[in-house]
Amino acid sequence: MRHDTGGRLTRDGIRIHDTADFAGMHKAGAVAARILDEVAPHVYPGQTTAGLEAFIRGAVEESGATSATIGYKGYQHASCISVNHVVCHGIPGNKIPKWKNDTHARSDDSLIDGDILNIDVTVIVDGWFGDTSRMYVAGEPKPYAQRLMQVTHDALMIGIEAVKPGNTFGDIGHAIQSYVEGNRMSVVRDFCGHGLGRVFHAPPNVLHYGRAGSGPRLEEGMFFTIEPMVNLGRPETKVLKDEWTAITRDKSLSAQFEHSVGVTADGVEIFTLSPAGTFHPTWES
């Protein structure tokens, strides 16, 4: 994987990008977000995660982009699709793990009415990485699932509101944690956001919990993801034998939303806004 050589590094190893680099990130982010817009009509009861992956792979190819995940550490798919209590890194085509409220006997990777799922896509466009994920529903969500998705979405946006020069990464995590726990849900601590640009993963680790005022200070030109994972139950996770799929230990429902962002002179720009305005779980802008 190529190294990000533009700009300068802070003492914490965080790259500071030039103003011109924002255009490259907006272009890559728009492609990833458009693909997630286009997959939405294909999410319905009876659809398979393998079918969604096939659509996404085709959409990446048609866009002229490159999938960042195919071949990454041995991963062979253009998306991660995480259903119900799968926290992240769900493998398309695998049998959907049974969760505590699942009364159906699943024999394959087909979705059933009420399933919620996160679809995560990362593409490379002209050397820049666009990384985003959002929630979808097969059929009609249960009220508690709808509330979980709403809280998770709002937690992401509250975290993004904390992004501006002079604030710290701890301010982002504190804002997210305070909101989530105030709604009697929990923030996953085993996974976090990350720096990106001309590389997939780079410093810093962007925690979704923490103490206000802690961590490195935000500076104009920093690029990173914010991607809180929120559980209805406890925050602990475990990784299955496939060494990718992470689930909640108590098999409670989980949700995640992710944007890639850049710090500006007076705030933040979101690189992965939905072109169709369908990032919100109820398909509203």
Side-chain angles (χ1 to χ4, degrees):
M1 181 174 294
R2 65 181 295 177
H3 296 285
D4 193 344
T5 57
R8 63 175 176 85
L9 293 178
T10 70
R11 66 181 181 180
D12 299 294
I14 304 170
R15 187 162 300 282
I16 305 300
H17 294 85
D18 297 331
T19 302
D21 295 340
F22 279 74
M25 288 298 291
H26 273 292
K27 187 174 180 181
V31 170
R34 185 174 66 249
I35 290 169
L36 291 189
D37 284 352
E38 293 171 350
V39 77
H42 299 271
V43 179
Y44 51 79
Q47 174 66 281
T48 65
T49 58
L52 294 173
E53 161 68 13
F55 175 85
I56 292 166
R57 186 181 291 245
V60 172
E61 293 174 356
E62 288 180 12
S63 72
T66 301
S67 169
T69 53
I70 296 176
Y72 179 75
K73 295 185 177 181
Y75 196 75
Q76 295 301 317
H77 305 276
S79 65
C80 293
I81 301 179
S82 304
V83 183
N84 293 334
H85 75 301
V86 178
V87 176
C88 59
H89 303 158
I91 301 176
N94 278 12
K95 181 179 177 181
I96 296 171
K98 188 176 180 67
W99 70 296
K100 66 181 182 181
N101 286 352
D102 191 350
T103 59
H104 300 266
R106 296 184 189 267
S107 59
D108 56 19
D109 64 332
S110 296
L111 301 172
I112 61 174
D113 186 60
D115 279 343
I116 65 170
L117 55 152
N118 175 273
I119 301 179
D120 191 338
V121 169
T122 307
V123 298
I124 309 170
V125 179
D126 298 333
W128 296 98
F129 284 70
D131 187 2
T132 184
S133 78
R134 69 180 79 159
M135 296 301 295
Y136 300 83
V137 182
E140 293 295 324
K142 300 292 190 295
Y144 57 84
Q146 181 66 42
R147 182 168 178 268
L148 170 65
M149 291 189 295
Q150 185 68 54
V151 168
T152 308
H153 171 274
D154 293 349
L156 168 63
M157 302 314 293
I158 287 169
I160 291 174
E161 288 176 2
V163 178
K164 61 181 179 180
N167 277 5
T168 69
F169 282 95
D171 293 330
I172 299 171
H174 178 74
I176 292 170
Q177 180 183 9
S178 298
Y179 180 76
V180 170
E181 293 180 353
N183 279 278
R184 298 185 178 182
M185 299 178 192
S186 65
V187 177
V188 170
R189 287 155 168 75
D190 296 333
F191 302 94
C192 61
H194 54 88
L196 81 171
R198 287 189 175 274
V199 294
F200 196 170
H201 296 98
N205 289 332
V206 183
L207 305 181
H208 305 117
Y209 62 95
R211 180 170 53 85
S214 65
R217 291 208 171 272
L218 299 165
E219 296 184 38
E220 182 181 1
M222 289 180 173
F223 297 163
F224 51 88
T225 70
I226 305 177
E227 46 185 296
M229 288 144 272
V230 176
N231 298 343
L232 274 180
R234 293 187 57 82
E236 294 83 9
T237 70
K238 68 176 181 179
V239 177
L240 301 183
K241 291 181 180 179
D242 61 28
E243 299 184 347
W244 284 102
T245 307
I247 65 171
T248 54
R249 280 193 172 271
D250 61 5
K251 294 189 176 181
S252 63
L253 208 61
S254 187
Q256 179 188 18
F257 285 86
E258 175 185 13
H259 271 315
S260 296
V261 303
V263 184
T264 65
D266 57 1
V268 62
E269 289 184 11
I270 301 174
F271 299 130
T272 47
L273 290 171
S274 163
T278 56
F279 185 77
H280 192 280
T282 56
W283 320 133
E284 298 172 357
S285 59

